[in-house]
Amino acid sequence: DLLTQSNNRTNATTMRVLGPLLVASSATFTLGQYHERNAARLMYNEFTLEAREERIAQAALFEENDEAFGNLMEAENAKIFEEYRERGSKYGPDGVTVIEENKLKATSTQPTDPRVPPGFADPFWKKIHEAENMEPDVSEHILDGLNGTASEDWASGFILLKSKGQIQQWPLERRDDFDYLYENSPNKIIRRVCESCLPSHKEIFYKRITALPDNFLNLIENQWVSTNNVIGVDFNLYSSYEDAVAGNDAWPDYCTYGQQDVGFPGECGPTGQTPDQWNFFTDSLGEPAYTGQPDVAFFVEDFQAEAFDYYLSDVDKQIDDELANDPALAYKRGVCAYNPFRDRRRICFKACRATSSPEAHKLCLNMKEESLRFKMYAWGSNQEQQEGTEAGLLMKTTHALGDDPSVGRGTY
């Protein structure tokens, strides 16, 4: 009995555990249910495989981007390091790495301190990147319309012989052709432009009365003497081309001659002797001279020019007067006023006044772009005086490094 009862209890327990399984196993699945479950399994596997491929692709992309970014950073760091090397810094951008090439430079030259902010060595940095957009404001539609249009060509009436300083244009100089050009010039007039001179001497017209003396070009360029060159006898001076042609309002005899290494016009002046308005181009050895007025050019009449090319309009005269006496007013007229080449400046204003033709408009834009470079240069020079160094290469208190006695002198 006890054995029988024990078996019965075991069977009952077994049925409670296995019963549901036996019932489930005895259930039959339809064909549709089978395919539905199989399709779900296959879809799950497909999603899993797609996700895996996506993860692999992302990992490859991250690796590729990391490499590209690394290359960019390496190139940028190399560029910055090269800038430090070129400007003479003893240390690299990190302030620690020694630039061996610059370490060996003469100790008398103070290299740019690596703490100097980017762009400080470039006076245009702040103006271009922070303060003001220096690009000409021109509509894209106008530029498209002028694409392929030839620029108009306007003559000044004069041919450049010799120039120096900021207004030097040596590719255009024809000093070697002077004898031919002078003999064919209509009025035998030499024109001197001096942008660094006083208003009374910015433009002078020298008209011969007698034949030219020997070595005439050296006479006006380097050694102003009286031999065959006396005012009122051999030549006269005038303040305008019109007066020179007509012979009106010649300068009185306030001239001096014979000072060593003093060229045209000595101390000649329209109202009295005027010192320090002379030029000096080359010394006795033919080397460039660095005394006298710095920005000077000599011209001779262009015998092939039209008659009206020699003369100025009333507007041109007014602009020249403003530039000589009130530059701030002239600069308000536009970027053309910043061009230091007097003839180029006049052409710029003339072309921009006559923009009714596409050719003139194209010339106007070209001349504005040329003048813009000089505007940037003028701004940079002014900023260097205000924010950079002063006489003796002493750093001002407005310098980027402040009043640092350890780097109080140097070249920047």
Side-chain angles (χ1 to χ4, degrees), residues 42-323:
L42 293 176
M43 185 177 295
Y44 172 80
N45 292 340
E46 185 176 344
F47 285 153
T48 303
L49 180 60
E50 183 178 347
R52 178 176 178 273
E53 291 176 347
E54 184 176 350
R55 288 196 302 274
I56 294 174
Q58 286 180 345
L61 180 61
F62 289 153
E63 183 178 355
E64 181 180 351
N65 288 342
D66 287 344
E67 182 180 358
F69 181 77
N71 292 337
L72 289 175
M73 288 300 299
E74 184 178 350
E76 181 65 18
N77 291 335
K79 177 183 177 182
I80 296 175
F81 187 90
E82 183 65 15
E83 291 175 356
Y84 274 68
R85 186 194 65 79
E86 289 182 353
R87 71 185 189 184
S89 297
K90 183 177 179 180
Y91 298 96
D94 57 6
V96 177
T97 305
V98 177
I99 302 177
E100 295 296 332
E101 178 182 344
N102 295 337
K103 179 182 178 182
L104 302 177
K105 288 188 175 181
T107 56
S108 60
T109 301
Q110 169 67 43
T112 302
D113 192 284
R115 294 170 293 170
V116 174
F120 185 80
D122 181 358
F124 306 137
W125 176 277
K126 186 195 302 182
K127 192 69 170 177
I128 297 173
H129 295 279
E130 298 178 13
E132 181 179 340
N133 180 11
M134 298 294 288
E135 295 299 324
D137 185 14
V138 182
S139 167
E140 294 183 2
H141 301 291
I142 293 179
L143 293 177
D144 291 340
L146 294 176
N147 186 28
T149 300
S151 174
E152 190 163 339
D153 185 19
W154 287 343
S156 69
F158 296 90
I159 295 175
L160 178 64
L161 296 172
K162 188 71 174 178
S163 57
K164 65 180 294 188
Q166 190 179 3
I167 61 174
Q168 185 177 34
Q169 290 183 303
W170 62 265
L172 303 179
E173 293 178 359
R174 296 184 61 184
R175 187 182 188 277
D176 294 341
D177 299 327
F178 171 71
D179 291 340
Y180 168 76
L181 296 173
Y182 179 80
E183 288 302 321
N184 287 278
S185 63
N187 298 289
K188 306 297 183 287
I189 293 175
I190 305 298
R191 171 186 174 222
R192 191 196 79 159
V193 171
C194 177
E195 294 292 352
S196 53
C197 286
L198 295 173
S200 59
H201 286 67
K202 284 188 177 296
E203 196 166 20
I204 304 174
F205 295 87
Y206 174 104
K207 185 177 182 181
R208 287 296 300 189
I209 300 173
T210 61
L212 288 179
D214 295 337
N215 206 12
F216 171 74
L217 290 181
N218 185 64
L219 180 148
I220 60 174
E221 291 174 0
N222 304 309
Q223 197 60 59
W224 183 247
V225 296
S226 60
T227 305
N228 297 322
N229 189 55
V230 176
I231 191 170
V233 177
D234 299 297
F235 71 92
N236 277 318
L237 300 178
Y238 302 88
S239 296
S240 71
Y241 181 75
E242 294 93 330
D243 287 342
V245 172
N248 297 329
D249 296 327
W251 289 14
D253 184 2
Y254 294 119
C255 285
T256 60
Y257 309 89
Q259 298 182 57
Q260 182 66 31
D261 296 336
V262 171
F264 179 89
E267 293 188 353
C268 302
T271 58
Q273 289 185 3
T274 310
D276 301 326
Q277 302 305 297
W278 46 269
N279 50 255
F280 183 49
F281 279 79
T282 55
D283 60 23
S284 58
L285 299 177
E287 296 296 326
Y290 299 99
T291 58
Q293 287 297 325
D295 304 320
V296 178
F298 281 100
F299 301 82
V300 65
E301 295 169 291
D302 183 357
F303 63 89
Q304 295 180 325
E306 299 291 339
F308 58 80
D309 289 331
Y310 301 108
Y311 299 95
L312 303 179
S313 67
D314 292 338
V315 176
D316 290 327
K317 294 177 182 178
Q318 182 180 350
I319 294 172
D320 284 346
D321 182 66
E322 291 173 357
L323 281 168

